[in-house]
Amino acid sequence: MAPEPISTPTETRVRLKDASEAVLTLADVAVAALHTPEDENYDVLAVVGGKNVPALVLVRNALKGRDPANTNVAEMALHGLGFSILVRRRFDNATGEPVRLTRDQINNSSI
């Protein structure tokens, strides 16, 4: 028996900074990716059409300037639409150990 094909959703909901929600479509992301430049300065990138584009900027562009609540929301929405996500890991220059943020640092951070 042949395995059933896995279908990728064509849209997902994204929580915005103003606590409302917006619909993010696969088509909107594809069009936004054409106009979103690659930028290696971001820590969370989405692979779209062979380009590594910042996930947050890509979702913001796809939503026509509306801001997703945070980078994680953007990342999860893109992942839900079937895009690969790359996350940069930071290391302490002195010890060579991975950087671990405290809960307070995470809660008080923003982009």
Side-chain angles (χ1 to χ4, degrees):
M1 188 156 118
E4 291 187 33
I6 298 173
S7 64
T8 302
T10 58
E11 68 180 39
T12 188
R13 300 194 72 72
V14 177
R15 187 171 37 92
L16 302 176
K17 276 192 177 179
D18 65 5
S20 64
E21 286 190 344
V23 174
L24 180 68
T25 68
L26 193 57
D28 289 338
V29 172
V31 170
L34 295 173
H35 307 288
T36 304
E38 292 186 272
D39 189 343
E40 298 294 324
N41 293 322
Y42 285 81
D43 290 332
V44 180
L45 305 171
V47 181
V48 183
K51 291 174 34 178
N52 296 333
V53 294
L56 184 66
V57 176
L58 178 61
V59 170
R60 183 183 303 131
N61 291 345
L63 295 174
K64 297 172 180 54
R66 293 179 291 168
D67 282 318
N70 56 42
T71 302
N72 186 60
V73 167
E75 173 188 349
M76 296 306 292
L78 291 169
H79 184 265
L81 291 174
F83 294 100
S84 295
I85 303 296
L86 306 173
V87 179
R88 182 186 331 260
R89 183 73 165 135
R90 301 284 179 170
F91 289 86
D92 185 296
N93 289 336
T95 66
E97 293 291 318
V99 173
R100 291 177 180 80
L101 300 176
T102 65
R103 177 57 50 199
D104 193 46
Q105 289 172 310
I106 293 169
N107 291 339
N108 293 323
S109 67
S110 64
I111 296 218

